[in-house]
Amino acid sequence: MSSQDLSITAKLINGGVAGLVGVTCVFPIDLAKTRLQNQHGKDIYKGMIDCLVKTARAEGFLGMYRGAAVNLTLVTPEKAIKLAANDFFRQLLMEDGMQRNLKMEMLAGCGAGMCQVVVTCPMEMLKIQLQDAGRLAVHRQGSASAPSSSRSYTTRSAPTHKRPSATLIAWELLRTRGLSGLYKGLGATLLRDIPFSIIYFPLFANLNNLGFNERTGKASFAHSFMSGCVAGSIAAVTVTPLDVLKTRIQTLKKGLGEDSYSGITDCARKIWIQEGPSALMKGAGCRALVIAPLFGIAQGVYFIGIGERILKCFE
């Protein structure tokens, strides 16, 4: 195996390990974010803590990890593609990978964001249905007296009393809509992930460079972790309105009185008119709490070089 192949393999392992560890740590907060973004007003959950407490009471501890299996399965290729693609584009676009060039760094981040949606879009599509199922159950209980014909659903699924599974949802989408069903909201996903990567990667690279150690040739774990946290939280909060649009568009089942959307513009217009501009920032705090440690862990693992150490064991 050549040194270049070894480097790519190590990057893929690093991205995968980081994704698995990060998702396991922060998934309940991500679930709260999805439910807060999907609810209209504050009828069910008043905030992140209230959402987590009510979820734990109604669905148990494991209820807070609804949809985690999808993420744990697909986060390895997703994170690996994102980190490896950014490195690839940085080396391609910059004469010296260590040289600071903001425009080229942003372009590399754009390339990474475009590459990752191949996995991110179907992963988010399935995850959101599973995460939001508990909120819909509570919503239906609260509106049990309403006529069933007034409930709005955008897709047929298994009977409502059955707990949905990623496999059933994926099969139903493929059967009824083809591959495009799994890629519903692709435009909104690109609209979120490309700006995120454009902000995150250059910001992280410059913050991390402040702690560069000439003796070791890289920043310390603590500095890489904090750089990932800071860059991740800033990027996450900045693109929250786009994440709200993506979540609403990708949610297939709607509760009583909740709108369906024909596209990004229609979604943004309806949210702005019916719920006000502040609704576009729903879940911003949750996103910061999810993304900060997620990318802090990712960059920490990446710069420690766990992948390289694992590969050395097989030499």
Side-chain angles (χ1 to χ4, degrees), residues 8-222:
I8 293 171
T9 304
K11 287 171 183 175
L12 294 175
I13 293 173
N14 285 332
V17 170
L20 290 171
V21 174
V23 167
T24 303
C25 293
V26 302
F27 193 83
I29 304 174
D30 187 64
L31 179 138
K33 181 219 67 160
T34 297
R35 293 188 177 185
L36 290 171
Q37 287 181 340
N38 263 332
Q39 76 169 357
H40 292 210
K42 294 185 177 181
D43 293 338
I44 302 174
Y45 309 115
K46 295 179 175 61
M48 181 186 73
I49 301 298
D50 184 54
C51 179
L52 291 174
V53 169
K54 286 180 177 177
T55 299
R57 285 176 180 169
E59 303 168 53
F61 176 78
L62 293 179
M64 295 190 291
Y65 280 87
R66 273 197 181 186
V70 176
N71 258 35
L72 291 171
T73 302
L74 296 178
V75 76
T76 298
E78 192 252 0
K79 281 289 174 287
I81 289 171
K82 179 193 278 278
L83 295 173
N86 181 66
D87 270 10
F88 170 78
F89 285 115
R90 281 172 65 85
Q91 292 171 8
L92 184 68
L93 295 169
M94 298 166 69
E95 293 180 5
D96 180 0
M98 298 302 292
Q99 182 182 345
R100 299 272 76 80
N101 186 322
L102 185 59
K103 289 183 180 178
M104 291 299 102
E105 287 177 340
M106 292 176 73
L107 198 56
C110 176
M114 291 181 69
C115 289
Q116 77 172 74
V117 295
V118 174
V119 176
T120 302
C121 191
M123 178 180 77
E124 293 269 313
M125 183 71 185
L126 297 174
K127 182 197 73 170
I128 285 171
Q129 315 317 315
L130 297 172
Q131 287 183 326
D132 204 42
R135 182 191 70 88
L136 285 171
V138 175
H139 190 91
R140 283 194 295 269
Q141 288 173 5
S143 56
S145 59
S148 60
S149 59
S150 66
R151 294 173 190 172
S152 173
Y153 295 92
T154 58
T155 188
R156 293 180 181 179
S157 61
T160 55
H161 65 276
K162 291 184 179 179
R163 180 169 294 186
S165 73
T167 305
L168 287 174
I169 294 169
W171 170 249
E172 183 69 13
L173 286 170
L174 288 170
R175 187 180 66 81
T176 58
R177 305 184 184 188
L179 191 61
S180 62
L182 286 174
Y183 282 88
K184 179 181 171 67
L186 177 62
T189 305
L190 283 167
L191 199 61
R192 180 198 67 171
D193 287 353
I194 291 176
F196 177 91
S197 295
I198 288 174
I199 296 167
Y200 172 77
F201 282 111
L203 182 56
F204 168 77
N206 284 277
L207 288 173
N208 195 61
N209 192 54
L210 296 175
F212 182 77
N213 188 319
E214 292 184 2
R215 185 175 58 83
T216 61
K218 60 183 179 182
S220 67
F221 170 80

Side-chain angles (χ1 to χ4, degrees), residues 287-301:
R287 269 183 66 74
L289 288 174
V290 168
I291 299 296
L294 197 62
F295 278 84
I297 291 168
Q299 295 297 353
V301 169

